[in-house]
Amino acid sequence: KNQLVYSSHSPFMVDPDQHLDIARTADDCGWDSIQVADSPFFPETISVPYPYTPDGTRFWPLDMPVLDPWVAITAMAVVTRRIRFLPSVLRLAIRQPLLEAKSLCSVAAISNDRVALGVGLAWMPEEFKWLGVDMKTRGARQDEAIQVIRLLMQGGMQEFHGKYFDFDPLIMAPVPKKRIPIYVGGTTMPALRRAARYGDGWVSVIHDMDAVADMLAQLERFRREFGRENEPFDIMMHCPDAQTVDDIRRLEDIGGTDLQVTPWSVPGILAEMGVGAIMQQQPPLDVKLEAIKRYAGQVIARFV
């Protein structure tokens, strides 16, 4: 598999008016999926460092347009035929899982089940404070929220009685016709345990190839601990240094199932690397579409 990381947020900026053209082109060229970002708002100042840059600074303009992930996915789903979509990742710990289950089930119905759910913990204290959610309980809340969403997607009368979410029998319709996978993001030990226990797969952040093997080994240990080692489990990796077919084969050999790629950042198209530098690389739409086609022909075709 090869995945197109397609995002109005990290790691690449894409104007909302380009969503449909990019989706149609990726669909036609054989990409497997498109990932969209989730970021409800950007505070003017934040009380903690940004966790994914060396100096803790944010590297995007604060007025950068970020669509609601369910809106973006629905728009792209109605103009495509086969490609699937997922938020990567939905900040589930700041959201109400019954409402998110309703959105997910609705998008599944519109897209003919061409959707998955990627979830992760929000990191900004301001998001929790201003949305009225206790940040200290975010891990446990997300554990329950994943269970709630999976339960409601089964259809029929369902009830749940947890510490953070509690409801008597209710029914949600429509529900997906097939199992919708839930992928869990994060690199801490609790996050990897959560993915192994509750997820259908794991979503990485940005890693060098050499840093991935240890995390995958730990995931495998946790999956054995929970008796899930024989269940299907996707490994969705974002490794900017996986640039050749041989590199991708190496990732396959250590257990990778999906490679997240933004093709207009691939050397030879726009060669500058580094997260902050790539973030600023916004070629015209026609260059992006040509990059999608070129990568599909040069790389994806080798794995079909």
Side-chain angles (χ1 to χ4, degrees):
K1 296 180 182 180
N2 290 271
Q3 281 196 317
L4 172 62
V5 167
Y6 169 50
S7 170
S8 300
H9 178 37
S10 176
F12 298 93
M13 297 181 289
V14 175
D15 292 332
D17 62 3
Q18 298 179 357
H19 282 55
L20 302 189
D21 287 326
I22 288 176
R24 281 188 287 249
T25 302
D27 190 41
D28 291 341
C29 291
W31 293 80
D32 286 318
S33 63
I34 292 175
Q35 299 187 5
V36 301
D38 174 35
S39 190
F41 52 77
F42 295 126
E44 181 177 10
T45 60
I46 53 176
S47 54
V48 298
Y50 178 64
Y52 302 117
T53 56
D55 60 2
T57 60
R58 293 176 285 181
F59 49 77
W60 60 88
L62 296 187
D63 61 351
M64 183 176 64
V66 181
L67 297 182
D68 178 273
W70 301 123
V71 173
I73 288 173
T74 299
M76 291 186 289
V78 299
V79 300
T80 53
R81 298 170 290 106
R82 42 156 298 279
I83 198 166
R84 70 172 184 156
F85 305 91
L86 65 150
S88 181
V89 286
L90 191 76
R91 302 181 184 200
L92 187 56
I94 59 173
R95 295 173 176 265
Q96 217 293 336
L98 279 84
L99 296 179
E100 296 309 309
K102 185 63 177 180
S103 294
L104 176 58
C105 290
S106 299
V107 172
I110 292 294
S111 67
N112 194 26
D113 294 338
R114 291 184 291 125
V115 64
L117 176 61
V119 300
L121 296 179
W123 60 273
M124 279 191 284
E126 287 73 19
E127 287 181 323
F128 290 90
K129 180 179 179 180
W130 297 341
L131 292 172
V133 180
D134 183 2
M135 188 172 184
K136 294 178 181 178
T137 63
R138 60 180 182 158
R141 288 173 60 86
Q142 180 154 285
D143 288 350
E144 285 195 9
I146 293 171
Q147 296 172 68
V148 166
I149 292 173
R150 197 181 297 286
L151 181 71
L152 293 174
M153 285 195 294
Q154 295 175 9
M157 285 293 172
Q158 302 290 352
E159 61 183 294
F160 187 88
H161 303 287
K163 182 176 181 179
Y164 302 101
F165 304 106
D166 186 286
F167 52 87
D168 293 330
L170 59 79
I171 190 167
M172 185 170 288
V175 294
K177 297 182 290 293
K178 66 180 183 180
R179 181 181 174 89
I180 300 298
I182 298 177
Y183 302 126
V184 179
T187 58
T188 64
M189 286 299 108
L192 295 178
R193 286 182 63 89
R194 182 174 298 114
R197 184 174 185 179
Y198 297 115
D200 300 297
W202 173 69
V203 183
S204 78
V205 288
I206 301 173
H207 302 288
D208 293 335
M209 293 176 61
D210 292 340
V212 173
D214 289 343
M215 282 183 284
L216 298 194
Q218 184 62 65
L219 273 168
E220 187 62 27
R221 286 191 289 271
F222 285 145
R223 292 182 66 221
R224 288 196 299 269
E225 177 183 332
F226 295 116
R228 302 191 63 207
E229 66 272 19
N230 295 321
E231 297 179 20
F233 194 83
D234 291 334
I235 302 293
M236 312 176 79
M237 295 184 292
H238 186 187
C239 299
D241 59 338
Q243 297 173 6
T244 68
V245 170
D246 287 343
D247 290 339
I248 299 170
R249 297 289 188 201
R250 282 178 53 203
L251 293 177
E252 279 191 315
D253 290 342
I254 63 173
T257 62
D258 296 75
L259 178 63
Q260 306 164 12
V261 176
T262 301
W264 49 90
S265 72
V266 172
I269 299 172
L270 286 175
E272 259 187 272
M273 296 303 291
V275 175
I278 290 174
M279 203 45 200
Q280 308 306 320
Q281 296 178 354
Q282 284 301 300
L285 178 61
D286 60 342
V287 174
K288 291 176 181 173
L289 300 183
E290 181 57 35
I292 292 170
K293 297 173 185 176
R294 187 185 311 178
Y295 191 90
Q298 294 178 350
V299 180
I300 294 178
R302 303 281 296 274
F303 293 86
V304 174

